[in-house]
Amino acid sequence: MKKLLIQGMHFIGLSGIGWLLDFCVYAGFSAISGNLVKNNMISSWVGVTFVFFFATRKVFQNKSKIPLSCKYLIYLFYQCILILFVSKLLGIVNTEIIKNFKVMLILRYSPILSKILITPVTMILNFFVMKGLIEKL
């Protein structure tokens, strides 16, 4: 359990950096395009690649004979499905924010607020998928 908590803390740190990269790209795209699904799909690849690259070297131990390049392809496939799902969810959350809040500041930044609300779910899912993929496969 201690090892899992330590790995989780390190992964959260790396994911935080990856999320900042993702968030900056997402915010930049959101400033020029209103298509949240497309913006999130593009920006997510930046964070995903960063986290995979560093987590496989700093957090998880690859003791299997399957090369990391194959595991990366599997992880990218998983991310395609997750990013598509999360991007759709992002659009739903954004629509609900716009429908239910009348404060102009919230409405102006609703795409960014939506991204912030969804991120913890994806971080937790990514931790367990990466741990299983890197250490168990």
Side-chain angles (χ1 to χ4, degrees), residues 84-112:
L84 181 62
F85 172 74
V86 168
S87 295
K88 298 286 186 184
L89 183 59
L90 192 62
I92 293 168
V93 170
N94 186 56
T95 301
E96 288 302 313
I97 289 171
I98 291 170
K99 262 192 335 191
N100 294 308
F101 290 94
K102 302 301 178 210
V103 177
M104 196 55 159
L105 186 62
I106 291 174
L107 293 175
R108 183 172 181 205
Y109 294 106
S110 65
I112 293 172

Side-chain angles (χ1 to χ4, degrees), residues 11 15 22 44 47-48 51-52 55 60 75 78-79 82-83 86 119-134:
F11 188 80
S15 290
D22 175 354
S44 293
V48 164
V51 171
F52 187 89
F60 304 112
Y75 189 66
Y78 153 76
Q79 284 296 332
L82 180 65
I83 290 168
V86 168
T119 295
V121 174
T122 59
M123 276 188 180
I124 292 167
L125 288 171
N126 287 340
F127 172 75
F128 286 108
V129 168
M130 276 197 73
K131 181 169 180 57
L133 182 63
I134 302 303

Side-chain angles (χ1 to χ4, degrees), residues 21-22 25-26 29 33 35-49 83 87 115:
L21 294 169
D22 175 354
V25 173
Y26 176 80
F29 277 117
S33 170
N35 188 338
L36 300 183
V37 173
K38 182 180 81 175
N39 297 347
N40 188 61
M41 292 179 91
I42 294 169
S43 70
S44 293
W45 290 108
V46 175
V48 164
T49 301
I83 290 168
S87 295
K115 179 85 167 171

